[in-house]
Amino acid sequence: MQIFHAADYGVLPGRDAAAPLAALFEAVRETPGEKTVRFLPGVYPIASDACQKRRLFITNTAADSEYTGQETPHLGAAALFLSDVCDTNIEGNGAVFVLDGKATNLALVGCKRIAVENLEFRHAQPDMHTLTVTKKGPFSVDFEVDRDTSLVFENGKPCFIGRDYRVFADAHAASAHWIGLIRTNAPQDVRRVCHPLLGAVRLTETGERRFRAYFPCTARFHMGDRFVLFDVRRQHVGIFVDRCDNVRLSGLKQRFNYGLALVCQCSRDITLSHAQFAPEPGSARPLASVADFVQLCMCRGKITIADCLFCGAGDDGLNVHGIHFSIARCRGSVLTLRFMHPQTHGFDPFLPGDTVAWIDPKTLLETGRAQVAGSRLLSETEIELTLETAPGADLSGLALENVSACPDLDFCGNTLSRIITRGVLLTTRGRVRVVGNRFVSTSMSGVLLSDDAKSWYESGMCKDVLIKSNVFTRCGETPIRIKPENSRHRGPVHQNIRIEDNTFTKYPGCWLSAKSTDGLYVRGNRTFKKSSIRLTGCTNVKTDETRRV
């Protein structure tokens, strides 16, 4: 076992760590055998413009069309970057990395048998800003900007400034639909609303970090309202795990990230435990992530997420899914596949020996299967897939799913709160266990089983799901929703779903809604009002009487 002391490479608290970190991890990569990297406790500043830039294609992030003419799509900085590193433990010992500027916190690419523990990531003056209503009149509203934001007035408008950004407060006011709103009487609830400066006819400066906006009507505002404004492009992420095997992330704290907090893509056997993806105590920011906290795409093996805190997300808490590819051409045993969603492309998720299935986009049912002989990227958006034998049927109009890239998932003992959309979004054929979690305040369902081949193109059907001993509080209109996006029912899409011993409180609709599902088993659940379940096109359903909380 070789020990690498980060301090020996110039990675020291109080000094910019970008260049020394690159040298440290290059030495680790070139050293064979088992290794341990140790950091001293302390605070390590990292300037984004000192980080090396790399082109990374990351699922569910900014589309090519979202970049400006001066930017190279998918080119971005990563503060900690490890490529092709094996048999390595990284011991953070409570080290805090503070990024100044827009960058990915940590990227693991092509790594095997690697563990990262007890690190913390923060951002200095990130491009996320909170406007609090401090005064309201019939035609004007006074706002105060959070203490972490630098605010100046330019051309009669408030402008947020920081490293890597300079943006007017009313930017995208006419189109922004992702803005977060937190009411004073519901501090754990965050909802998507229109921009707070939509319709403002004039803006005036009233003091340090304060300004007044004039409106024809101010009925939608309340004293103490907090509006969270942020760059929604998802140009960077928190932690990116790409084409890795056997990764353990333990005791990590992410206080902010510019996109998805953790993306695992085309990787196998991942464990995330005892993590905190949440604002630091006393932070002026109520959200820790611009988008989802965890996104799993085309992964394999076993994924374990246990005993973590997820607080304040601009999208889902967890989204686990595959990809429905469009079959553009078929020439004998050679298919040309196309990525259909503009935010996901540029990588090859197929391996020789994989099983693929043809999927009818209207019914979301299989129509046949084949085995993969080989694959290669033709471009950012197309893959050439060679099958072991030619398909025996016409594939026109069908989608293709990689059945082998469907991980098992254990999501246990976690707490999710202040989630702007759904708590857990499941679309995987693997064995799924959602057990012993607390879902507190998701504006949409706490758990959603989806599947679609016409919008986000996220596959696939669920075959074995247990939802047990969870607590759902203020989780949308329907806390658990089973809703495959099939436009035509020709049989069950999801199968073998067991919902047992959960507690549901404070929801306005029914607590369970299910569609096109076979083998739905419901037992021992507790609700705060008379039980209600909505079923459409479901078969082999077994339910008992729910108990009142």
Side-chain angles (χ1 to χ4, degrees), residues 36-111:
T36 294
V37 179
R38 289 177 178 163
F39 290 95
L40 294 173
V43 178
Y44 297 78
I46 301 176
S48 62
D49 52 12
C51 297
Q52 295 182 11
K53 291 189 175 183
R54 295 169 176 83
R55 207 161 183 231
L56 300 173
F57 290 89
I58 307 176
T59 184
N60 292 80
T61 55
D64 286 2
S65 60
E66 296 180 64
Y67 290 85
T68 67
Q70 292 74 41
E71 297 173 325
T72 300
H74 313 290
L75 180 67
L80 281 70
F81 183 85
L82 289 81
S83 175
D84 302 309
V85 172
C86 299
D87 303 306
T88 301
N89 295 328
I90 298 175
E91 298 177 357
N93 297 308
V96 179
F97 294 97
V98 180
L99 281 70
D100 188 3
K102 296 186 177 183
T104 290
N105 298 340
L106 166 66
L108 306 176
V109 177
C111 297

Side-chain angles (χ1 to χ4, degrees), residues 4 153 159 191 195 252 266 289 300 343 423 426 465 473 530:
F4 286 80
F153 254 71
C159 181
R191 299 291 183 265
H195 199 287
L252 301 187
C266 302
S289 185
R300 303 163 187 258
Q343 291 185 335
L426 302 171
V465 177
T473 303
K530 186 177 181 180

Side-chain angles (χ1 to χ4, degrees), residues 131 143 158 169-170 173 195-200 203 211 213 215 220-221 229:
L131 303 184
F143 294 99
D170 63 348
H195 199 287
L197 301 183
L198 177 65
L203 303 170
F211 65 92
F215 300 91
R220 64 186 174 107
F221 298 101
L229 283 59

Side-chain angles (χ1 to χ4, degrees), residues 69-274:
Q70 292 74 41
E71 297 173 325
T72 300
H74 313 290
L75 180 67
L80 281 70
F81 183 85
L82 289 81
S83 175
D84 302 309
V85 172
C86 299
D87 303 306
T88 301
N89 295 328
I90 298 175
E91 298 177 357
N93 297 308
V96 179
F97 294 97
V98 180
L99 281 70
D100 188 3
K102 296 186 177 183
T104 290
N105 298 340
L106 166 66
L108 306 176
V109 177
C111 297
K112 296 182 179 180
R113 298 176 299 281
I114 187 165
V116 184
E117 60 184 24
N118 299 326
L119 290 177
E120 181 169 346
F121 294 100
R122 298 184 180 185
H123 283 247
Q125 291 189 311
D127 192 4
M128 176 178 280
H129 317 280
T130 302
L131 303 184
T132 301
V133 175
T134 59
K135 185 179 180 181
K136 174 188 170 181
F139 302 108
S140 68
V141 175
D142 284 11
F143 294 99
E144 181 177 8
V145 181
D146 67 87
R147 62 182 179 274
D148 288 343
T149 292
S150 292
L151 183 73
V152 297
F153 254 71
E154 294 183 354
N155 301 320
K157 290 184 178 182
C159 181
F160 307 133
I161 58 173
R163 190 188 294 264
D164 294 341
Y165 68 87
R166 191 179 194 93
V167 59
F168 285 110
D170 63 348
H172 311 294
S175 59
H177 59 276
W178 56 83
I179 305 302
L181 169 62
I182 300 173
R183 301 281 192 190
T184 301
N185 61 355
Q188 290 304 314
D189 296 354
V190 57
R191 299 291 183 265
R192 279 180 175 168
V193 296
C194 63
H195 199 287
L197 301 183
L198 177 65
V201 295
R202 186 162 57 97
L203 303 170
T204 60
E205 187 175 10
T206 57
E208 184 181 3
R209 295 186 292 106
R210 294 171 181 267
F211 65 92
R212 178 171 296 159
Y214 294 87
F215 300 91
C217 176
T218 61
R220 64 186 174 107
F221 298 101
H222 299 83
M223 284 292 295
D225 281 353
R226 287 188 292 166
F227 294 89
V228 188
L229 283 59
F230 48 86
D231 179 2
V232 78
R233 283 202 304 169
R234 304 183 180 186
Q235 188 177 358
H236 311 276
V237 299
I239 300 171
F240 181 40
V241 179
D242 182 34
R243 292 175 286 115
C244 294
D245 290 350
N246 194 356
V247 174
R248 292 182 291 110
L249 307 173
S250 176
L252 301 187
K253 298 177 181 178
Q254 281 199 101
R255 304 309 189 181
F256 180 81
N257 71 90
Y258 279 108
L260 309 156
L262 170 62
V263 180
C264 299
Q265 177 177 290
C266 302
S267 294
R268 181 190 302 272
D269 296 334
I270 309 293
T271 298
L272 174 69
S273 64
H274 300 94

Side-chain angles (χ1 to χ4, degrees), residues 201-416:
V201 295
R202 186 162 57 97
L203 303 170
T204 60
E205 187 175 10
T206 57
E208 184 181 3
R209 295 186 292 106
R210 294 171 181 267
F211 65 92
R212 178 171 296 159
Y214 294 87
F215 300 91
C217 176
T218 61
R220 64 186 174 107
F221 298 101
H222 299 83
M223 284 292 295
D225 281 353
R226 287 188 292 166
F227 294 89
V228 188
L229 283 59
F230 48 86
D231 179 2
V232 78
R233 283 202 304 169
R234 304 183 180 186
Q235 188 177 358
H236 311 276
V237 299
I239 300 171
F240 181 40
V241 179
D242 182 34
R243 292 175 286 115
C244 294
D245 290 350
N246 194 356
V247 174
R248 292 182 291 110
L249 307 173
S250 176
L252 301 187
K253 298 177 181 178
Q254 281 199 101
R255 304 309 189 181
F256 180 81
N257 71 90
Y258 279 108
L260 309 156
L262 170 62
V263 180
C264 299
Q265 177 177 290
C266 302
S267 294
R268 181 190 302 272
D269 296 334
I270 309 293
T271 298
L272 174 69
S273 64
H274 300 94
Q276 292 183 23
F277 292 178
E280 60 267 33
S283 172
R285 293 183 304 277
L287 302 186
S289 185
V290 165
D292 304 33
F293 272 134
V294 181
Q295 182 97 210
L296 309 174
C297 178
M298 304 301 293
C299 289
R300 303 163 187 258
K302 177 70 172 293
I303 309 294
T304 300
I305 302 173
D307 303 314
C308 298
L309 170 64
F310 301 104
C311 178
D315 211 323
D316 302 323
L318 165 67
N319 185 354
V320 50
H321 64 89
I323 297 173
H324 276 132
F325 292 90
S326 171
I327 303 173
R329 290 183 295 277
C330 180
R331 301 180 302 279
S333 61
V334 179
L335 308 182
T336 299
L337 307 180
R338 184 169 294 144
F339 288 95
M340 295 302 293
H341 197 279
Q343 291 185 335
T344 297
H345 62 272
F347 56 92
D348 181 358
F350 296 94
L351 297 175
D354 281 351
T355 297
V356 296
W358 329 129
I359 304 295
D360 183 333
K362 295 181 179 178
T363 66
L364 294 176
L365 301 181
E366 282 191 27
T367 66
R369 289 192 173 196
Q371 271 64 52
V372 173
S375 62
R376 67 185 181 98
L377 275 172
L378 297 175
S379 67
E380 288 184 13
T381 58
E382 289 191 335
I383 296 174
E384 181 180 87
L385 190 70
T386 303
L387 304 176
E388 292 184 354
T389 58
D394 181 13
L395 304 183
S396 299
L398 298 181
L400 181 142
E401 178 187 0
N402 188 344
V403 175
S404 298
C406 297
D408 295 337
L409 170 70
D410 280 1
F411 188 81
C412 304
N414 305 291
T415 297
L416 300 91

Side-chain angles (χ1 to χ4, degrees), residues 337-544:
L337 307 180
R338 184 169 294 144
F339 288 95
M340 295 302 293
H341 197 279
Q343 291 185 335
T344 297
H345 62 272
F347 56 92
D348 181 358
F350 296 94
L351 297 175
D354 281 351
T355 297
V356 296
W358 329 129
I359 304 295
D360 183 333
K362 295 181 179 178
T363 66
L364 294 176
L365 301 181
E366 282 191 27
T367 66
R369 289 192 173 196
Q371 271 64 52
V372 173
S375 62
R376 67 185 181 98
L377 275 172
L378 297 175
S379 67
E380 288 184 13
T381 58
E382 289 191 335
I383 296 174
E384 181 180 87
L385 190 70
T386 303
L387 304 176
E388 292 184 354
T389 58
D394 181 13
L395 304 183
S396 299
L398 298 181
L400 181 142
E401 178 187 0
N402 188 344
V403 175
S404 298
C406 297
D408 295 337
L409 170 70
D410 280 1
F411 188 81
C412 304
N414 305 291
T415 297
L416 300 91
S417 67
R418 201 181 286 162
I419 307 296
I420 209 167
T421 52
R422 293 146 301 214
V424 171
L425 176 55
L426 302 171
T427 37
T428 178
R429 298 173 184 243
R431 177 182 178 271
V432 174
R433 299 294 178 264
V434 179
V435 177
N437 304 286
R438 294 181 65 245
F439 297 86
V440 183
S441 184
T442 61
S443 70
M444 299 180 187
S445 297
V447 175
L448 169 65
L449 278 62
S450 187
D451 188 11
D452 82 90
K454 290 181 293 184
S455 56
W456 282 90
Y457 298 91
E458 292 181 353
S459 65
M461 53 190 72
C462 295
K463 295 288 189 179
D464 183 356
V465 177
L466 173 65
I467 303 170
K468 183 176 181 178
S469 301
N470 304 284
V471 176
F472 297 84
T473 303
R474 301 194 310 279
C475 291
E477 181 179 351
T478 303
I480 296 181
R481 188 182 296 271
I482 304 172
K483 188 184 178 185
E485 301 295 333
N486 53 330
S487 59
R488 181 181 301 165
H489 177 79
R490 289 291 183 268
V493 177
H494 297 313
Q495 300 176 20
N496 191 22
I497 313 298
R498 299 176 306 288
I499 304 172
E500 305 176 12
D501 301 322
N502 302 282
T503 301
F504 303 89
T505 61
K506 300 181 181 178
Y507 55 92
C510 59
W511 69 268
L512 170 63
S513 174
K515 170 189 175 187
S516 299
T517 300
D518 179 71
L520 179 60
Y521 183 52
V522 180
R523 184 182 69 178
N525 299 285
R526 295 165 296 280
T527 64
F528 88 110
K529 62 180 181 180
K530 186 177 181 180
S531 175
S532 59
I533 298 176
R534 184 183 301 121
L535 305 175
T536 305
C538 295
T539 53
N540 296 315
V541 177
K542 296 181 180 179
T543 66
D544 67 356

